Amino acid sequence: MWELHPSALGPNDGPFAIVGHSCALYPRLPGRDSDRGTPQSLSAVDTCSWDAEGRPPGSLQLGAQDRGPSCTPVQRVLLALTPTLEKLQEVKGRVLEALEQGLSRQSGARSTMQMLPTFICSTPDGTENGDVLVAELCQSHVRTLWVTLTGDGNQSPQLMYHVFEMPEDITQGSGEALFDFIAQCVKNFLEEIGNPQHRLPLGFIFPFSCRQTGLDKAELISWSKGFRCSDVEGKDVVQLLQAAISKQEVGAVWGSRLGGLPHAENLMVPRSGTNCCFMAESHLLEMAEVTSGRMCVNSEWGCLGDDGALDDVLTPCDHRVDQESSNPGERRFEKMVGSLYLGEIVRHAMLMLASEQALFIGRNTSILATKAVLTTQQVLEIMDNEDGMAKAQGILEALGLQPSERDCCRVQQLCRAVVSRAAALSAMGLAAVLSHMCRSRQLERLVVNVGVDGGLYHTSASVVGLLAPECAANLMPSADVSGLGAAMVTAVALRTVAQRNNMERLLAPLRLSRTDLQRVQALMRQEMERGLDRERNAESSLRMLPTYVCHTPDGTERGKFLALDLGGTNFRVLVVHVAEDNIDITNEIYVIPTAVMQGTGEALFNHIMECIMDFQMKQELMDQVLPLGFTFSFPCQQLGLDKAVLLNWTKGFSASGCVGQDVVQMLREAAQRKQHTALKVVAVVNDTVGTMMACGYHDPKCEIGLIVGTGTNTCYMEERAKVGTMDGDEGRMCINMEWGAFGDNGCLDDFFTSFDRLVDEKSINAGKQKFEKLISGMYLGEIVRQILLALVEEQVLFCGKSSHKLQNRDIFQTKFLSTIETPGLALVQVQGILSNLELDASYEDSVLVREVCQTVSLRAAHLCAAGMAAVVEKMRESRGLEQLTVTVGVDGTLYKMHPHFSRNLQQMLQELAPLCNVTFLQSEDGSGKGAALVAAVACRGADPSSPQ
Ligand code: G6P
Ligand code: BGC
């Protein structure tokens, strides 16, 4: 679309839709509900349909065994014009191959199906509304159309149109004259309807094969259907029309928004030519370089067979038609199916039979050597069941052939055979397209509407059914005299652009630039410095907690340990056996019910003790006193390796009476309550520390621990001299940054969007863990849910209709992001997830939802990278190094399960901290293993089995 006022054309003035005929998304006209039924209800189709054995009606129903020398010449010609179902099946296979070859960049050039991208990525969804102007170039006329879609669902669109006859010489003259003519038509039309006072988007229907590089850029590849205007091939027809319109000084204005109609996903146009377009999976459409969603592809299937693929269905008559055409050897399929040629095929059949004395015996048949003496319209008239014979008589007599009744009967059979074959062949092509769609969408069954235009004859629905049994195609014959379908393309493009703009506006604050990330990095660095400074620690949102872990493992740790792992998705109890050459782990997962997480501290620690005792019983460890390492993944002020005061709960925990208490002591008290005397807690560690230690056992360079799971946090080995909050200058100490709380002092507020604020406000710890709420698994799904609600509100998604389910907090889980973003995931699966949330998602909705998920998870990964960049840079500087080489031990469900998170994080980290060479090592056994290793270090030199 584009607006017609030349002076007002600017980059944001909207698109210009350029479409081939087959791309018009033919809607069902309102009030024609009966047309919508099953294919059987299309009575016109049945006149050409084949019987259960796949034989065409109206022609001689001879099987292959009947083909033989005993055939009469007429039977022979009829048989040749009647491909069997098996043959059609075979040809369908070749078409499918050509189609898939055409989609590929590598083999595309070799394929006879050009599969041209149209950049139309949506079909009408019922929300289009507004005014649209369309200019359509047809075989012998230009049609202009004004449609007002009133935004009232499927009610009557208001339309006005005018058909301007085109002088024949225009089609053979200069390109300039052609486009001037079209522009003149537009101008006259606008004057006729009282030139509107507002600017309008214009759609241009240009039914020739074009190479499109955008919705408003289309280069004519070559003329067909008798057009031969000079200086157009190779040029952008949009620009040509644009220039012509500027000359006419036509003024018209943008309309706003549009209301829709049911849609077809395929469109076949067996008019003078033939073509088919369909909504293809964009990632298969290599030429378009669009990876998500679907795009309408113009197959240009008229060229099928130009490589010989149809040779076994071509008859001598087809060869003659081809030879006499202006483009011999080209567009062979079109010459069997397109109505421009049907009369010619019948003429040649008559000519051949006459020369064999099988028709018009004794008559002068020289007239039949003249091109185009029989039109396709006449062929259709002759076919008619009621007065076809009389028509045949009249038409043949008018040609001076003096036909007998038998001649008329045979000519009628010929006409039926030629038309039936065209219907069967287009059904075969359609079946190939449908099978491809079904396969590429990974569906067991495809249900689709197919808009069929052309009107002269119909595609055989039953043949489609026989050749593509996995597809239910609802053929919707288009009585589109008014060109409403063409307007819909323009309207759809308008709607898509409006939706995209709204979506972009809503998502823009979530898209962080490099500068934004550098700012986050600098803020993190500043907060780290402050957090380590005794005087300024309280100002910082980073607690920078000393952990009393001063070394990473050195491989000499030995012994058997118990470990607890509390604070992630799972609560685990483990027994870890650290031997010389390996670490053996046995563990059991226990559930902590929400009621216990949010009940009393006493109940929580009782529950933990019960799990430990159950585990010891099962593992027959009741008699042993094993040292215990406790991974406790919440912020704690450590007062020693085995003394950790809980500062606050995070991640949905809120058990009362715990904050300010030593968690090891609480565990010991619970043991006493349970009269379990053999518990020897030697170390308590944060999960980041446990992860760093577990990975450090395998890689001595591992001096950072990162968790991106339910929550997020990092620890790293800091020079003790830099830790102002502790005495002592020697060596290093692991610092638990508690970076989830970064920003709790407001320093990140600029980056908080309205969605983040809603998520924060509705959480059980509003105002706390603000960085965590932008990054971790506990919150990403909820951010997406808030965005979806806003997009519904803006009418961008689900036709403006939300569901009850979507109103529920946390209903959109973060694991959905991982699934939805999985590369190559069929969009029906996205639709599946959304339909479980009672959302009626169209295909386009699913594409948009995927984009929302991508935006949210990308931001999380980039923020994480900015934080990590601050950490590694600080380490590098603290150590006075030019270059730092370090390994990050990493764990957490989001990091591990999300298909792109880790890559996005690592790429951005590299950009933000180019002087650091950072390797990420994924922890395999959880941080309980690390807690055991810390316990092992603590017990080194002591007898690990002596009770405390
Ligand atoms: C590790 C630990 C957990 C930790 C978790 C984070 O493996 O063993 O204690 O909290 O990862 O992951 P999650 O996604 O479960 O929060
Ligand atoms: C906690 C951290 C923990 C992180 C990852 C945060 O909510 O405060 O202590 O390391 O989650 O589990």
Side-chain angles (χ1 to χ4, degrees), residues 565-570 572 631 633 651 687 691 707-711 891-894 896 923 925-928:
D565 189 351
L566 175 73
T569 315
N570 299 310
R572 285 200 195 87
T631 303
S633 315
K651 298 181 285 195
D687 53 355
T691 299
I707 299 286
V708 194
T710 316
D891 208 344
T893 31
L894 182 61
K896 285 181 165 172
S923 157
D925 312 296
S927 47

Side-chain angles (χ1 to χ4, degrees), residues 191-392:
E191 278 167 8
E192 197 178 295
I193 62 173
N195 211 350
Q197 289 313 296
H198 56 283
R199 286 176 288 160
L200 262 190
L202 173 75
F204 180 31
I205 309 286
F206 186 74
F208 299 93
S209 123
C210 286
R211 187 169 296 108
Q212 257 183 280
T213 51
L215 201 56
D216 60 353
K217 273 188 191 51
E219 219 174 74
L220 175 65
I221 298 173
S222 58
W223 284 118
S224 56
K225 293 176 282 194
F227 275 71
R228 238 182 260 139
C229 302
S230 60
D231 281 338
V232 184
E233 286 176 349
K235 298 225 169 106
D236 177 4
V237 294
V238 176
Q239 266 181 18
L240 294 178
L241 182 55
Q242 170 84 70
I245 287 204
S246 305
K247 273 196 269 171
Q248 300 285 341
E249 293 179 353
V250 190
V253 202
W254 266 114
S256 50
R257 311 195 38 181
L258 309 186
L261 302 157
H263 65 272
E265 277 202 77
N266 291 52
L267 184 77
M268 290 211 320
V269 186
R271 282 190 175 178
S272 47
T274 179
N275 200 2
C276 170
C277 73
F278 66 99
M279 297 303 286
E281 306 304 294
S282 294
H283 68 273
L284 295 178
L285 192 58
E286 293 180 5
M287 314 297 266
E289 293 182 347
V290 176
T291 51
S292 189
R294 288 183 189 148
M295 184 185 280
C296 178
V297 182
N298 171 8
S299 73
E300 282 297 332
W301 77 8
C303 298
L304 272 171
D306 291 4
D307 58 353
L310 296 176
D311 282 2
D312 50 358
V313 282
L314 288 170
T315 66
C317 308
D318 295 310
H319 289 301
R320 291 187 184 180
V321 171
D322 179 52
Q323 284 310 316
E324 280 184 4
S325 71
S326 58
N327 52 352
E330 287 171 22
R331 304 190 78 86
R332 300 307 301 265
F333 187 64
E334 183 161 290
K335 286 173 190 163
M336 297 167 94
V337 173
S339 63
L340 204 58
Y341 303 95
L342 301 188
E344 284 295 277
I345 303 173
V346 176
R347 176 176 70 84
H348 277 290
M350 292 193 296
L351 191 60
M352 280 170 62
L353 289 171
S355 70
E356 289 183 55
Q357 302 295 311
L359 266 184
F360 311 122
I361 302 163
R363 312 277 188 257
N364 177 357
T365 55
S366 55
I367 182 80
L368 290 176
T370 314
K371 257 179 99 171
V373 287
L374 184 71
T375 65
T376 298
Q377 190 50 43
Q378 289 170 326
V379 169
L380 293 171
E381 287 169 8
I382 294 172
M383 273 175 66
D384 193 86
N385 278 340
E386 275 168 19
D387 39 64
M389 282 295 281
K391 288 279 182 197

